[in-house]
Amino acid sequence: MIKAVLFDFAGTLFGRPAYRWLSPPHLSVLRAPAPYVARMNAAERAVWDARDLTALANRSAHWILFRLAGLSFDDALFQRLHNPAFWLPYADTAAALEAARPLKVGVLSNISWDIRRVFARESLSVDAFALSYELGVSKPSARAFDAACVRLDVEPSECLYVGDDPVADGAAVAAGLRFAQISTAPVGRREPVLLRALASHGIG
């Protein structure tokens, strides 16, 4: 029996609109970093894998990524990428959070900054946040999912995880949770996939 729903943050509950201030090459690399990650040496890959544990690691990881792609990366760009003002809820976010009640609701995110202020700005509330930079571990580690379930006071088998990344979020299954994968797109271009994902598990 499902007693709680955990959501991913980026690309799931919140996203960013098409950037007029971000060049198409930069945006392309952010959306599909895999080819450049594959070219990283061992030291660079270690930084990349730890990118959501501290702000410094996140900045270093993006500098490596864009350097390998032959693109510039400065502090102004880094600040924009982490500016709450550039993160907006998807059209179905509020409805999905409401539909998930009266179950417990939480957010488990690989993130290097505090996203609570983004939820507060939009008057959206959840029961618990499990953020990688606070946990000291990130998805796809089972420890991240376990920590989130502890914060919601449920067993992994009693929790549904909703996210867009088949690898990081899909690891919920190996951790004992149920998993609903959604498709994603920039804010303003995505269909109401959250409500469908919840309904597919009898929620809402």
Side-chain angles (χ1 to χ4, degrees):
M1 179 180 179
I2 298 177
K3 296 182 179 180
V5 181
L6 275 168
F7 292 92
D8 174 45
F9 171 69
T12 300
L13 291 180
F14 282 74
R16 292 172 287 198
Y19 307 101
R20 295 186 180 279
W21 50 266
L22 188 62
S23 74
H26 281 85
L27 186 57
S28 177
V29 170
L30 282 176
R31 289 178 174 169
Y36 308 101
V37 174
R39 291 167 47 192
M40 293 179 182
N41 59 37
E44 292 169 338
R45 183 56 189 265
V47 173
W48 177 256
D49 289 344
R51 66 191 181 280
D52 292 315
L53 300 184
T54 69
L56 178 59
N58 196 273
R59 187 188 186 287
S60 298
H62 280 90
W63 182 85
I64 292 168
L65 178 70
F66 287 125
R67 177 179 57 79
L68 290 173
L71 300 172
S72 62
F73 182 67
D74 56 24
D75 285 331
L77 177 56
F78 180 74
Q79 293 302 324
R80 289 189 190 117
L81 291 175
H82 297 76
N83 187 337
F86 288 95
W87 288 93
L88 303 174
Y90 285 99
D92 56 344
T93 292
L97 292 176
E98 182 177 353
R101 300 295 185 179
L103 303 177
K104 296 179 180 180
V105 179
V107 174
L108 168 60
S109 176
N110 286 355
I111 200 83
S112 64
W113 54 281
D114 192 351
I115 58 177
R116 294 177 182 86
R117 48 189 161 160
V118 182
F119 283 77
R121 184 194 68 207
E122 300 296 331
S123 298
L124 298 172
S125 63
V126 299
D127 297 310
F129 287 91
L131 311 180
S132 59
Y133 83 96
E134 294 178 336
L135 298 175
V137 64
S138 57
K139 301 172 293 183
S141 171
R143 291 168 53 205
F145 293 98
D146 288 342
C149 289
V150 167
R151 294 191 177 197
L152 288 176
D153 193 27
V154 296
E155 295 296 324
S157 61
E158 299 172 326
C159 190
L160 170 67
Y161 190 79
V162 182
D164 64 297
D165 188 325
V167 177
D169 297 335
V173 175
L177 291 76
R178 306 184 195 194
F179 175 54
Q181 183 180 343
I182 62 164
S183 59
T184 192
V187 170
R189 299 181 187 177
R190 197 183 75 181
E191 296 182 1
V193 293
L194 292 176
L195 293 174
R196 296 174 193 167
L198 293 175
S200 70
H201 287 266
I203 300 171

